Amino acid sequence: QVQLVESGGGLVQAGESLRLSCAASGNIFSTNVMGWYRQAPGKQRELVATITRGTTTNYAEAVKGRFTISRDNAKNTVYLQMNSLKPEDTAVYYCYASVRHTTAPRFMDYWGKGTLVTISS
């Protein structure tokens, strides 16, 4: 099995920064795409940012220029640096990873349990 554990959420004021981390552990042979999604109250889950193993990145328009995604392949960890936070960034942030097990030939999708980010105005 594979587990994704997020950390770094919390309550900050508008304009401040937070850094989220997500570590994948378990029977991991390789990770492919990793990323972050978020779900605000009453809304559907949406893409925030993704990063391939080769570090090609993709961002939602709403966070471009403010958020930076990065990863450490040796640690199977993905990060999200969030700057200039806005109240509309308030959401539960979920980590995502496409993982190949040591005992399986294909990649499977995994999600973390989420970490709450609250931005006060």
Side-chain angles (χ1 to χ4, degrees), residues 22-51:
C22 172
S25 63
N27 298 324
I28 298 172
F29 178 80
S30 177
T31 55
N32 192 359
V33 176
M34 301 184 79
W36 294 93
Y37 288 70
R38 67 185 181 186
Q39 187 167 17
K43 296 187 177 181
Q44 290 188 332
R45 189 175 298 189
E46 63 179 7
L47 169 73
V48 176
T50 60
I51 183 168

Side-chain angles (χ1 to χ4, degrees), residues 72-83:
D72 184 332
N73 290 332
K75 296 181 179 180
N76 291 318
T77 299
V78 62
Y79 307 96
L80 187 68
Q81 178 66 43
M82 305 185 293
N83 299 330

